[in-house]
Amino acid sequence: MKNSCLSKWRILARRFSAVATAAGAAFLWIQLSGCAVVEPYQREKLSDPIMDSGNSIAKQSLEAKFFSTREGSFGGGKGVGGGCGCAK
Amino acid sequence: MIRNLSSLFSPLRFFLAVAFAGHPLAADELSYTTYYFGDNSQNSVFTSSISISKTVWRSTLVLMDVELDQISLPPILDGVSGASRPQRQEGQVYRKNRGQVILGVEQGLGSDTRVAASVYHSEEADYLSRSLIGSFTQELFKKNTTFFLKGQYSLDSVGEIPRVGNLVYRFKEVHQAGVALTQLLSPVSWIRLGYDGMRQNGFNSDPYRHLRVNTAPGAAMPIYEETREAHPKIRFRHAAWGDYAYSFADLDASVLLHYRYYWDDWSIDSHTFGLRGNKYVTPNWIISPEYRFYRQGAANFWRENYSSENSMPYLTGDYKLRDFDSNNAGLGLTYLFKGMAETRPSLDFLLGCSLSLKYFRYFNTLDFYADVIEGRLLFNF
Amino acid sequence: MAGHGRAILQQREYGGAVKIIGIASGLLTCLLLLPAAISIHASQLQPAPAFDLPHLYNDSLFGPHDFKGRAVLIDFWATWCAPCRKSLPELEKVAARHSGATVVTVNLDGDKGKARGFLKGKAQAMIPLYDGKQIAAKAYAIEGMPAAFLIDKSGNLWKRFDGYTENTLQEMEAELEKLMLE
């Protein structure tokens, strides 16, 4: 019982570290691959409503509710940034 | 096969609050959203929601959201069903209302840092949910990179209206954390990577859902005994996901891609692929077709049929814990009022306003389908 | 030296209270003052970067050299930037109140027509310029939108403001008045 519990934790830890490593590697790749800095005045297209992931036409939370009450999963798709970058 | 909706709104109420914790509070915004859901089992939900966010002083923003749901479930036709409803009223259409309030405040600390906190309360006849949510946003490298962190604590009181007697409550605690990193890749593209984790501790079942266990396995005529479902008390859930957006500047169009991998310690894992296109058909109208595919594996204790022969500590009547695929296809239409505002100076206040309509059909491999219509009116002031 | 000794003594006597007040005021500063502290004072006065940009409504070219001898406020904006849209009507009022100074707006939209549509009837006292190729924006090393720069009568960069709040506007106007008097 103890062993199976331990191995379950090991699997979880391995999966988590794999995800964390992938995310870290992706971030480093983005930062180091010479991605040009996008200046604040170059964000006309990025600030357009059609580039907003939250612009799922209706409120995102209603869709999150819809899927989470009909499927066994959760999470994903929430975050900020990527838009105008304007300073208010 | 249990294909009825296990519950329209009872479990995982906190997703709403999560959505808000992750929602970048747009300054000075008022929105009204309405939503209609109807499925092939005659379940329906009608939702109305009003949100307002307003800068009250310098970089302090307050948010309030009020939402009301009207839920209607059909009469249960047979004695055993997956439908989540009090057995007391099983012979008639069951209607109930649900109310929800979110109050939040967001504080800017300099031009690159924001912290937000909100409280969430949701209430209906047999379910109570309360949450505390906090988030932290840090802009880096001239706002080319955005780091977002959120945390949440929820306490749910899962009620049961018994056949006779008073309401019985059981409890569930939920801890949740999420992190997301958004990176601008070019003046026309960005990528976002994130991870969400959740630990549920407590009553993870549906109090009304019953299932049948064959107590005479091997016999010519099975003998069924009705029993309640029993889920493990603890559930660890994880989701790693990524979004990518690209603008086709010359076409006045964009494409957004989404992928999510989910896994939990009940052995469920799933893959979600999403694709959305947006296209300006005129300077003020945006058309947005979208498609989503979902595939999940079953929980290790899920069985099509339970029998007393192989007795198990956990039993479930929840179709969400079995393996299935689902598809979701929709079409959205958005009207931007800016054209109207630009031509008439007296309508200046409509500049950041929009009206959106969306229809989508959801269907899965369990013979379930649903139609959803959403409408939203947004004012920026 | 004696004064220094007294200070140490006082610090010991009131150490606890000072710490609490210090922490509290530090937190308050973080919460309240930092959001407003968005202007950066130029440590050394440098000539404002030169440019020649066309007027939004005609082909006449303008640059900082045209306004020498006057206090100048240059505001970089775009129609896709919400705080910029909020700031422009207020800047027009500032320009109308200070006829002795010059308020120049530099639009950075890809499509000039959008800026024209938005500014219709709103730029009577300001001078609207167009920088579709973002040459001036680059020269001024803009770090946020909107971005405003104050230029003194000698043509030197005096102060920069990144972003817009009511506070920024008040500070901007006060500095502009100071420059006009110099």
Side-chain angles (χ1 to χ4, degrees), chain A residues 10-31:
Chain A
R10 271 189 198 136
I11 292 166
L12 276 176
R14 213 173 293 150
R15 276 177 165 172
F16 181 79
S17 59
V19 170
T21 311
F27 179 65
L28 273 177
W29 172 72
I30 288 163
Q31 290 300 322

PDB file of all heavy atoms in Angstrom, chain A residues 10-31:
ATOM      1  N   ARG A  10       5.522   9.432  -7.135  1.00  0.00           N
ATOM      2  CA  ARG A  10       6.655   9.537  -8.065  1.00  0.00           C
ATOM      3  C   ARG A  10       6.171   9.871  -9.468  1.00  0.00           C
ATOM      4  O   ARG A  10       6.748  10.693 -10.154  1.00  0.00           O
ATOM      5  CB  ARG A  10       7.441   8.223  -8.074  1.00  0.00           C
ATOM      6  CG  ARG A  10       8.515   8.237  -7.019  1.00  0.00           C
ATOM      7  CD  ARG A  10       9.435   7.049  -7.170  1.00  0.00           C
ATOM      8  NE  ARG A  10      10.147   6.870  -5.921  1.00  0.00           N
ATOM      9  CZ  ARG A  10      10.347   5.704  -5.329  1.00  0.00           C
ATOM     10  NH1 ARG A  10       9.887   4.603  -5.875  1.00  0.00           N
ATOM     11  NH2 ARG A  10      11.023   5.624  -4.207  1.00  0.00           N
ATOM     12  N   ILE A  11       5.085   9.204  -9.884  1.00  0.00           N
ATOM     13  CA  ILE A  11       4.533   9.458 -11.225  1.00  0.00           C
ATOM     14  C   ILE A  11       4.084  10.909 -11.324  1.00  0.00           C
ATOM     15  O   ILE A  11       4.388  11.611 -12.286  1.00  0.00           O
ATOM     16  CB  ILE A  11       3.355   8.497 -11.532  1.00  0.00           C
ATOM     17  CG1 ILE A  11       3.881   7.071 -11.663  1.00  0.00           C
ATOM     18  CG2 ILE A  11       2.632   8.905 -12.811  1.00  0.00           C
ATOM     19  CD1 ILE A  11       2.797   6.008 -11.638  1.00  0.00           C
ATOM     20  N   LEU A  12       3.382  11.346 -10.270  1.00  0.00           N
ATOM     21  CA  LEU A  12       2.892  12.733 -10.265  1.00  0.00           C
ATOM     22  C   LEU A  12       4.051  13.712 -10.333  1.00  0.00           C
ATOM     23  O   LEU A  12       4.031  14.674 -11.107  1.00  0.00           O
ATOM     24  CB  LEU A  12       2.069  12.994  -8.995  1.00  0.00           C
ATOM     25  CG  LEU A  12       0.614  12.583  -9.048  1.00  0.00           C
ATOM     26  CD1 LEU A  12      -0.045  12.800  -7.704  1.00  0.00           C
ATOM     27  CD2 LEU A  12      -0.124  13.402 -10.113  1.00  0.00           C
ATOM     28  N   ALA A  13       5.076  13.444  -9.502  1.00  0.00           N
ATOM     29  CA  ALA A  13       6.232  14.337  -9.450  1.00  0.00           C
ATOM     30  C   ALA A  13       6.923  14.368 -10.805  1.00  0.00           C
ATOM     31  O   ALA A  13       7.332  15.424 -11.295  1.00  0.00           O
ATOM     32  CB  ALA A  13       7.188  13.872  -8.368  1.00  0.00           C
ATOM     33  N   ARG A  14       7.029  13.162 -11.432  1.00  0.00           N
ATOM     34  CA  ARG A  14       7.698  13.085 -12.728  1.00  0.00           C
ATOM     35  C   ARG A  14       6.924  13.882 -13.780  1.00  0.00           C
ATOM     36  O   ARG A  14       7.481  14.621 -14.559  1.00  0.00           O
ATOM     37  CB  ARG A  14       7.800  11.609 -13.155  1.00  0.00           C
ATOM     38  CG  ARG A  14       9.063  11.320 -13.950  1.00  0.00           C
ATOM     39  CD  ARG A  14       9.216   9.844 -14.206  1.00  0.00           C
ATOM     40  NE  ARG A  14       9.466   9.089 -12.989  1.00  0.00           N
ATOM     41  CZ  ARG A  14       9.077   7.815 -12.816  1.00  0.00           C
ATOM     42  NH1 ARG A  14       8.408   7.188 -13.742  1.00  0.00           N
ATOM     43  NH2 ARG A  14       9.370   7.190 -11.702  1.00  0.00           N
ATOM     44  N   ARG A  15       5.588  13.728 -13.744  1.00  0.00           N
ATOM     45  CA  ARG A  15       4.758  14.450 -14.720  1.00  0.00           C
ATOM     46  C   ARG A  15       4.877  15.955 -14.503  1.00  0.00           C
ATOM     47  O   ARG A  15       5.018  16.728 -15.430  1.00  0.00           O
ATOM     48  CB  ARG A  15       3.299  14.038 -14.576  1.00  0.00           C
ATOM     49  CG  ARG A  15       2.993  12.776 -15.325  1.00  0.00           C
ATOM     50  CD  ARG A  15       1.583  12.397 -15.080  1.00  0.00           C
ATOM     51  NE  ARG A  15       1.131  11.403 -16.047  1.00  0.00           N
ATOM     52  CZ  ARG A  15      -0.024  10.779 -15.960  1.00  0.00           C
ATOM     53  NH1 ARG A  15      -0.842  11.040 -14.968  1.00  0.00           N
ATOM     54  NH2 ARG A  15      -0.389   9.905 -16.857  1.00  0.00           N
ATOM     55  N   PHE A  16       4.832  16.340 -13.218  1.00  0.00           N
ATOM     56  CA  PHE A  16       4.899  17.765 -12.906  1.00  0.00           C
ATOM     57  C   PHE A  16       6.241  18.336 -13.352  1.00  0.00           C
ATOM     58  O   PHE A  16       6.296  19.390 -13.973  1.00  0.00           O
ATOM     59  CB  PHE A  16       4.701  17.983 -11.402  1.00  0.00           C
ATOM     60  CG  PHE A  16       4.728  19.431 -11.028  1.00  0.00           C
ATOM     61  CD1 PHE A  16       3.615  20.223 -11.237  1.00  0.00           C
ATOM     62  CD2 PHE A  16       5.873  20.011 -10.501  1.00  0.00           C
ATOM     63  CE1 PHE A  16       3.636  21.561 -10.926  1.00  0.00           C
ATOM     64  CE2 PHE A  16       5.899  21.350 -10.191  1.00  0.00           C
ATOM     65  CZ  PHE A  16       4.777  22.129 -10.389  1.00  0.00           C
ATOM     66  N   SER A  17       7.322  17.600 -13.046  1.00  0.00           N
ATOM     67  CA  SER A  17       8.631  18.138 -13.414  1.00  0.00           C
ATOM     68  C   SER A  17       8.788  18.179 -14.928  1.00  0.00           C
ATOM     69  O   SER A  17       9.434  19.068 -15.467  1.00  0.00           O
ATOM     70  CB  SER A  17       9.762  17.360 -12.755  1.00  0.00           C
ATOM     71  OG  SER A  17       9.669  16.021 -13.148  1.00  0.00           O
ATOM     72  N   ALA A  18       8.165  17.227 -15.632  1.00  0.00           N
ATOM     73  CA  ALA A  18       8.236  17.240 -17.098  1.00  0.00           C
ATOM     74  C   ALA A  18       7.558  18.493 -17.642  1.00  0.00           C
ATOM     75  O   ALA A  18       8.090  19.175 -18.527  1.00  0.00           O
ATOM     76  CB  ALA A  18       7.567  15.998 -17.667  1.00  0.00           C
ATOM     77  N   VAL A  19       6.398  18.811 -17.070  1.00  0.00           N
ATOM     78  CA  VAL A  19       5.663  19.999 -17.524  1.00  0.00           C
ATOM     79  C   VAL A  19       6.458  21.260 -17.203  1.00  0.00           C
ATOM     80  O   VAL A  19       6.623  22.152 -18.036  1.00  0.00           O
ATOM     81  CB  VAL A  19       4.263  20.056 -16.857  1.00  0.00           C
ATOM     82  CG1 VAL A  19       3.593  21.391 -17.126  1.00  0.00           C
ATOM     83  CG2 VAL A  19       3.395  18.935 -17.381  1.00  0.00           C
ATOM     84  N   ALA A  20       6.999  21.307 -15.962  1.00  0.00           N
ATOM     85  CA  ALA A  20       7.754  22.490 -15.538  1.00  0.00           C
ATOM     86  C   ALA A  20       8.987  22.667 -16.421  1.00  0.00           C
ATOM     87  O   ALA A  20       9.316  23.776 -16.839  1.00  0.00           O
ATOM     88  CB  ALA A  20       8.150  22.348 -14.079  1.00  0.00           C
ATOM     89  N   THR A  21       9.670  21.543 -16.724  1.00  0.00           N
ATOM     90  CA  THR A  21      10.860  21.622 -17.569  1.00  0.00           C
ATOM     91  C   THR A  21      10.489  22.118 -18.964  1.00  0.00           C
ATOM     92  O   THR A  21      11.172  22.973 -19.532  1.00  0.00           O
ATOM     93  CB  THR A  21      11.527  20.226 -17.683  1.00  0.00           C
ATOM     94  OG1 THR A  21      11.651  19.717 -16.368  1.00  0.00           O
ATOM     95  CG2 THR A  21      12.879  20.294 -18.339  1.00  0.00           C
ATOM     96  N   ALA A  22       9.390  21.578 -19.494  1.00  0.00           N
ATOM     97  CA  ALA A  22       8.965  21.988 -20.839  1.00  0.00           C
ATOM     98  C   ALA A  22       8.644  23.481 -20.863  1.00  0.00           C
ATOM     99  O   ALA A  22       9.061  24.203 -21.780  1.00  0.00           O
ATOM    100  CB  ALA A  22       7.742  21.182 -21.263  1.00  0.00           C
ATOM    101  N   ALA A  23       7.933  23.949 -19.822  1.00  0.00           N
ATOM    102  CA  ALA A  23       7.559  25.367 -19.769  1.00  0.00           C
ATOM    103  C   ALA A  23       8.806  26.236 -19.639  1.00  0.00           C
ATOM    104  O   ALA A  23       8.953  27.246 -20.326  1.00  0.00           O
ATOM    105  CB  ALA A  23       6.611  25.609 -18.602  1.00  0.00           C
ATOM    106  N   GLY A  24       9.726  25.802 -18.777  1.00  0.00           N
ATOM    107  CA  GLY A  24      10.968  26.560 -18.568  1.00  0.00           C
ATOM    108  C   GLY A  24      11.786  26.612 -19.845  1.00  0.00           C
ATOM    109  O   GLY A  24      12.309  27.659 -20.227  1.00  0.00           O
ATOM    110  N   ALA A  25      11.884  25.457 -20.503  1.00  0.00           N
ATOM    111  CA  ALA A  25      12.666  25.389 -21.743  1.00  0.00           C
ATOM    112  C   ALA A  25      12.052  26.288 -22.808  1.00  0.00           C
ATOM    113  O   ALA A  25      12.767  27.013 -23.515  1.00  0.00           O
ATOM    114  CB  ALA A  25      12.724  23.955 -22.239  1.00  0.00           C
ATOM    115  N   ALA A  26      10.725  26.264 -22.891  1.00  0.00           N
ATOM    116  CA  ALA A  26      10.042  27.098 -23.885  1.00  0.00           C
ATOM    117  C   ALA A  26      10.308  28.575 -23.607  1.00  0.00           C
ATOM    118  O   ALA A  26      10.588  29.356 -24.524  1.00  0.00           O
ATOM    119  CB  ALA A  26       8.546  26.817 -23.863  1.00  0.00           C
ATOM    120  N   PHE A  27      10.246  28.938 -22.317  1.00  0.00           N
ATOM    121  CA  PHE A  27      10.477  30.337 -21.951  1.00  0.00           C
ATOM    122  C   PHE A  27      11.909  30.753 -22.304  1.00  0.00           C
ATOM    123  O   PHE A  27      12.137  31.804 -22.887  1.00  0.00           O
ATOM    124  CB  PHE A  27      10.198  30.534 -20.462  1.00  0.00           C
ATOM    125  CG  PHE A  27      10.427  31.936 -19.999  1.00  0.00           C
ATOM    126  CD1 PHE A  27       9.629  32.973 -20.483  1.00  0.00           C
ATOM    127  CD2 PHE A  27      11.421  32.230 -19.096  1.00  0.00           C
ATOM    128  CE1 PHE A  27       9.836  34.270 -20.076  1.00  0.00           C
ATOM    129  CE2 PHE A  27      11.636  33.530 -18.678  1.00  0.00           C
ATOM    130  CZ  PHE A  27      10.840  34.555 -19.167  1.00  0.00           C
ATOM    131  N   LEU A  28      12.856  29.878 -21.943  1.00  0.00           N
ATOM    132  CA  LEU A  28      14.260  30.195 -22.231  1.00  0.00           C
ATOM    133  C   LEU A  28      14.482  30.315 -23.735  1.00  0.00           C
ATOM    134  O   LEU A  28      15.168  31.209 -24.207  1.00  0.00           O
ATOM    135  CB  LEU A  28      15.164  29.085 -21.682  1.00  0.00           C
ATOM    136  CG  LEU A  28      15.571  29.263 -20.228  1.00  0.00           C
ATOM    137  CD1 LEU A  28      16.399  28.083 -19.772  1.00  0.00           C
ATOM    138  CD2 LEU A  28      16.377  30.553 -20.053  1.00  0.00           C
ATOM    139  N   TRP A  29      13.863  29.380 -24.466  1.00  0.00           N
ATOM    140  CA  TRP A  29      14.014  29.389 -25.915  1.00  0.00           C
ATOM    141  C   TRP A  29      13.511  30.718 -26.488  1.00  0.00           C
ATOM    142  O   TRP A  29      14.149  31.339 -27.330  1.00  0.00           O
ATOM    143  CB  TRP A  29      13.249  28.219 -26.520  1.00  0.00           C
ATOM    144  CG  TRP A  29      13.186  28.266 -28.013  1.00  0.00           C
ATOM    145  CD1 TRP A  29      14.204  28.031 -28.875  1.00  0.00           C
ATOM    146  CD2 TRP A  29      12.053  28.609 -28.790  1.00  0.00           C
ATOM    147  NE1 TRP A  29      13.775  28.199 -30.154  1.00  0.00           N
ATOM    148  CE2 TRP A  29      12.461  28.557 -30.145  1.00  0.00           C
ATOM    149  CE3 TRP A  29      10.735  28.947 -28.510  1.00  0.00           C
ATOM    150  CZ2 TRP A  29      11.586  28.835 -31.183  1.00  0.00           C
ATOM    151  CZ3 TRP A  29       9.873  29.216 -29.543  1.00  0.00           C
ATOM    152  CH2 TRP A  29      10.294  29.173 -30.861  1.00  0.00           C
ATOM    153  N   ILE A  30      12.354  31.156 -25.962  1.00  0.00           N
ATOM    154  CA  ILE A  30      11.777  32.409 -26.440  1.00  0.00           C
ATOM    155  C   ILE A  30      12.712  33.579 -26.140  1.00  0.00           C
ATOM    156  O   ILE A  30      12.968  34.432 -26.973  1.00  0.00           O
ATOM    157  CB  ILE A  30      10.387  32.631 -25.791  1.00  0.00           C
ATOM    158  CG1 ILE A  30       9.372  31.660 -26.385  1.00  0.00           C
ATOM    159  CG2 ILE A  30       9.902  34.064 -25.995  1.00  0.00           C
ATOM    160  CD1 ILE A  30       8.118  31.503 -25.555  1.00  0.00           C
ATOM    161  N   GLN A  31      13.248  33.561 -24.892  1.00  0.00           N
ATOM    162  CA  GLN A  31      14.089  34.683 -24.481  1.00  0.00           C
ATOM    163  C   GLN A  31      15.435  34.703 -25.202  1.00  0.00           C
ATOM    164  O   GLN A  31      15.979  35.757 -25.485  1.00  0.00           O
ATOM    165  CB  GLN A  31      14.332  34.652 -22.966  1.00  0.00           C
ATOM    166  CG  GLN A  31      13.106  34.979 -22.142  1.00  0.00           C
ATOM    167  CD  GLN A  31      12.544  36.359 -22.436  1.00  0.00           C
ATOM    168  OE1 GLN A  31      13.290  37.304 -22.662  1.00  0.00           O
ATOM    169  NE2 GLN A  31      11.237  36.476 -22.484  1.00  0.00           N
TER     170      GLN A  31
END
